[in-house]
Amino acid sequence: MIPAPRSSAQQDTGRIAPAEPPATAAHRSAGAPGEPAPPAPAEPPAPAKQRDAFFDNAKYLAIVLVALGHAWEPYYHGSRSAASLYLFVYAFHMPAFTVISGYFSRSFDLRRDRLQRLVTGVAVPFVVFQTAFALFRYLAGDIPSFTVSLLDPWFLTWFLAALFIWRLTAPLWRIVRWPVPLALVIAIAASASPDVGTELDLQRVLQFLPFFVLGMCLKAEHFSLVRRWPVRIAAVPVLAVALVFAYWAVPRMNDAWFYHTDSAENLGAPWWVGALMQLAMFGCSLVLTACFLAWVPGRRMWCTALGAGTLYGYLLHGFLAKGSRWWDWYDAGWVRTPWGAIAVTFIAGAVVTLLCTPPVQRVFRCVMEPKMTWAFRAEPPTGATEPPTDGAAAPPAGKQSAGKQATGKQAVP
């Protein structure tokens, strides 16, 4: 039988055509004698991996809460109601974002492509926005000279530094026996130690670490569990009680505990109080995060596509958040009225939503998600062997060790 010729598409691509199945009697009788069998139909392309609408919705709502918290900050000392909303949001919005980040870092390892994405998607935006914020501060008169420090994250860039460190440690958390308790011990130790330096905002990195590790330990069924209707119904009174407690705590509690940026001693408390506060804040934030996630929609909505651009909204809204203070936007009379505060809330939500949209992503993708193929070595071809690194001479080409000849497997060095 004469082999079937390749199609024109196969000839153009240079790929080897898949093997044809044996021709049946029906196939042979269908055409003229000696006519080659028709090529097999091409397999349909594999469908693109779909994003999970629940997590995109959760990320979008969390980033909106971040923007609202920054918009409410100037009202903190003038309105107890605004201050209580501020504390309420700060109790769980960044913990929720950190838990989700940990969940999507479960499979992170030191594989080449993942390390490259860590550099291009986290380290490069950190450097770019640390520089951009420094220039912005200098032009606005907040600092006397233009200086950039990559060891001193400013305002929002701390999360990029933290995410870089957390993901590098992800392989370690997968092999320890009790990852979340161990992360809590580290957070407590950081809170009890005033000697933790300010480099890379390490105090906050360590105190938020348990939320990241917890996210790594979660599975999809855990998120499904908190979205059941009994949990949703129970979340409503819990959130209401938390809001009432925040209103009570405004004049009685140091709000710096919610930022996780200082040790207990720096906040005027003994170390053991810091340990208790770490446990209490972790439990409180965890409960409120579960209540928040319980009411996140799981279906595709108008805001679902914005979940892919939350890092854009997070970093870009920082220029407006700080500029509004430096340029006295909150000094306008209407801003200080109740209706003005409501208007500011809607404006903040609308602005961060706009900054998450695809057009904004396309404009800033070159600095937020650069390809940077020029910065990395070409990946070695499949089957290539790495040069020996232990000082041993490489075996002569074409020869195998006795163990490899006997088993057919590559010997472990």
Side-chain angles (χ1 to χ4, degrees):
M1 177 179 176
I2 302 174
R6 292 189 297 175
S7 65
S8 59
Q10 292 168 338
Q11 293 172 353
D12 292 340
T13 59
R15 296 181 181 177
I16 299 176
E20 297 288 346
T24 62
H27 290 151
R28 286 194 296 268
S29 63
E35 184 178 346
E43 295 183 0
K49 187 176 180 181
Q50 296 293 325
R51 295 179 63 93
D52 193 313
F54 168 76
F55 289 106
D56 278 339
N57 292 335
K59 290 192 294 182
Y60 167 73
L61 293 175
I63 208 64
V64 168
L65 291 177
V66 171
L68 295 186
H70 293 150
W72 292 336
E73 185 179 2
Y75 296 105
Y76 188 91
H77 296 289
S79 170
R80 187 172 177 178
S81 298
S84 60
L85 287 172
Y86 178 83
L87 290 186
F88 173 74
V89 165
Y90 264 79
F92 70 90
H93 73 327
M94 285 312 296
F97 214 86
T98 306
V99 167
I100 295 174
S101 298
Y103 178 76
F104 283 101
S105 301
R106 293 170 300 159
S107 61
F108 184 86
D109 53 25
L110 302 183
R111 206 173 70 185
R112 174 191 180 95
D113 58 334
R114 289 171 179 161
L115 284 176
Q116 288 184 191
R117 285 198 298 270
L118 182 65
V119 171
T120 58
V122 178
V124 170
F126 171 78
V127 174
V128 169
F129 277 86
Q130 189 74 352
T131 304
F133 279 137
L135 179 61
F136 180 64
R137 296 177 67 189
Y138 170 68
L139 296 177
D142 186 55
I143 53 177
S145 60
F146 173 64
T147 56
V148 180
S149 173
L150 298 182
L151 295 179
D152 185 20
W154 183 76
F155 194 27
L156 302 174
T157 55
W158 76 268
F159 187 77
L160 293 176
L163 188 59
F164 187 87
I165 296 171
W166 292 336
R167 281 190 174 166
L168 284 180
T169 64
L172 298 176
W173 298 112
R174 288 199 298 270
I175 65 173
V176 299
R177 190 178 296 273
W178 301 291
V180 176
L182 178 58
L184 271 173
V185 169
I186 293 175
I188 291 172
S191 176
S193 175
D195 297 327
V196 175
T198 59
E199 291 79 8
L200 295 178
D201 216 345
L202 194 56
Q203 187 70 253
R204 183 149 38 176
V205 172
L206 297 178
Q207 291 191 32
F208 272 100
L209 177 64
F211 299 104
F212 181 83
V213 176
L214 175 65
M216 288 190 59
C217 298
L218 295 178
K219 299 179 180 179
E221 51 264 31
H222 295 127
F223 291 95
S224 299
L225 185 65
V226 300
R227 294 165 59 199
R228 297 187 306 171
W229 272 108
V231 179
R232 288 184 173 183
I233 295 172
V236 175
V238 172
L239 292 172
V241 170
L243 189 56
V244 172
F245 178 82
Y247 188 85
W248 173 87
V250 167
R252 298 174 175 86
M253 184 176 176
N254 187 348
D255 62 305
W257 289 108
F258 292 87
Y259 309 143
H260 299 281
T261 55
D262 293 293
S263 66
E265 181 177 315
N266 291 339
L267 295 178
W271 69 268
W272 59 269
V273 172
L276 293 178
M277 285 297 296
Q278 280 296 314
L279 294 174
M281 294 294 294
F282 179 75
C284 173
S285 298
L286 185 58
V287 169
L288 294 180
T289 296
C291 294
F292 164 73
L293 294 175
W295 283 98
V296 171
R299 66 186 185 279
R300 292 196 63 83
M301 303 176 61
W302 65 269
C303 62
T304 303
L306 304 178
T310 51
L311 189 60
Y312 293 79
Y314 174 77
L315 292 171
L316 292 173
H317 92 279
F319 294 98
L320 294 175
K322 286 299 183 180
S324 64
R325 276 66 154 181
W326 297 335
W327 299 324
D328 302 325
W329 292 356
Y330 281 83
D331 290 345
W334 68 270
V335 174
R336 293 294 175 176
T337 65
W339 290 108
I342 295 174
V344 167
T345 300
F346 279 100
I347 291 172
V351 167
V352 76
T353 298
L354 179 64
L355 295 177
C356 294
T357 55
V360 176
Q361 295 179 43
R362 286 193 291 269
V363 171
F364 291 96
R365 184 169 286 123
C366 59
V367 295
M368 299 288 285
E369 302 175 81
K371 298 297 183 182
M372 291 185 62
T373 54
W374 55 269
F376 302 102
R377 294 182 178 180
E379 188 171 1
T382 305
T385 57
E386 295 290 338
T389 58
D390 57 356
K399 294 186 178 181
Q400 290 180 319
S401 64
K404 291 171 64 176
Q405 292 173 350
T407 64
K409 297 180 180 180
Q410 185 177 358
V412 180

